[in-house]
Amino acid sequence: MSSIKVAITIDSGTLERVDSLVAKKVFPNRSRAIQSAVAEKLARMERTRLASECAKLDPKFEKALAEEGLGQELDAWPEY
C-alpha cells in the first residue's frame, strides 16, 4: 500500500509521549507511531459499530430463524 504524506496538528503533551515511545524503540519514528495509533483506532471503531449493529438483533428471532426447518433436515443427513 502506498503512503501519502499529511500534516497534522498535535498537542505537545501527546507528541512528547509519542517521542518517548520512539526513544524506547517501540516505534522506529513518529510517523509509524501515529500510523499505528490511527489504524488501531479505526479498527476499534469498526468493532464497536459491529457490536452496536448486533445489539439491534432479536436473539429469540435469530435463534428461531436458524433452527427453522432443522428438524426435517436432520432425518436426511447421513450417519457419520
Side-chain angles (χ1 to χ4, degrees), residues 15-33:
L15 185 58
E16 287 175 10
R17 292 168 63 191
V18 169
D19 286 342
S20 174
L21 293 172
V22 172
K24 293 175 186 174
K25 306 275 190 233
V26 175
F27 296 100
N29 52 48
R30 287 175 171 176
S31 182
R32 290 290 171 91

Side-chain angles (χ1 to χ4, degrees), residues 42-62:
L42 291 173
R44 195 175 305 157
M45 288 175 71
E46 289 168 1
R47 285 192 304 271
T48 302
R49 180 170 180 231
L50 177 61
S52 66
E53 292 298 320
C54 287
K56 295 176 185 177
L57 298 174
D58 177 9
K60 290 179 182 177
F61 175 76
E62 294 299 320

Side-chain angles (χ1 to χ4, degrees), residues 33-46:
I34 293 169
Q35 284 176 0
S36 178
V38 170
E40 183 177 323
K41 179 63 176 182
L42 291 173
R44 195 175 305 157
M45 288 175 71
E46 289 168 1

